[in-house]
């Protein structure tokens, strides 16, 4: 399955900030299941989750999207 989110950017952010995956989810206020869907490249994720992730990371949404 093709990914549409730059997962490596999210993983680097988690590592650089010393977070766990669940800690990152808490900061972003998203569920762990949603986080796993994003990592797997599934398309059944709400856009609001991507906006929350981008806000926590301090980037614009277009920076975490591929394409």
């Amino acid at each position: 399955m093709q990914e549409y989110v730059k997962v490596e950017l999210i993983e680097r952010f988690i590592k650089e900030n010393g977070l766990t995956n669940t800690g990152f989810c808490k900061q972003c206020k998203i569920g762990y299941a949603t986080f796993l869907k994003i990592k797997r490249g599934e398309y059944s994720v709400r856009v609001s989750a991507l906006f929350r992730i981008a806000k926590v990371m301090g980037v614009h949404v277009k920076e975490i999207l591929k394409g």
Side-chain angles (χ1 to χ4, degrees):
M1 184 176 291
Q2 185 179 4
E3 296 175 348
Y4 65 97
V5 176
K6 296 178 184 172
V7 177
E8 59 279 350
L9 197 87
I10 295 171
E11 290 175 343
R12 188 174 347 126
F13 177 83
I14 291 170
K15 186 176 180 180
E16 288 175 356
N17 290 291
L19 297 170
T20 61
N21 288 341
T22 53
F24 178 73
C25 292
K26 281 185 180 182
Q27 278 191 352
C28 295
K29 297 178 183 160
I30 62 170
Y32 188 68
T34 302
F35 177 72
L36 290 178
K37 284 181 181 180
I38 291 169
K39 283 185 77 169
R40 290 185 202 128
E42 296 180 19
Y43 288 100
S44 61
V45 178
R46 292 181 184 231
V47 175
S48 61
L50 298 177
F51 276 97
R52 290 176 182 179
I53 290 170
K55 184 177 179 180
V56 168
M57 292 178 62
V59 297
H60 197 278
V61 176
K62 68 180 181 182
E63 293 179 43
I64 62 170
L65 293 176
K66 288 185 177 181

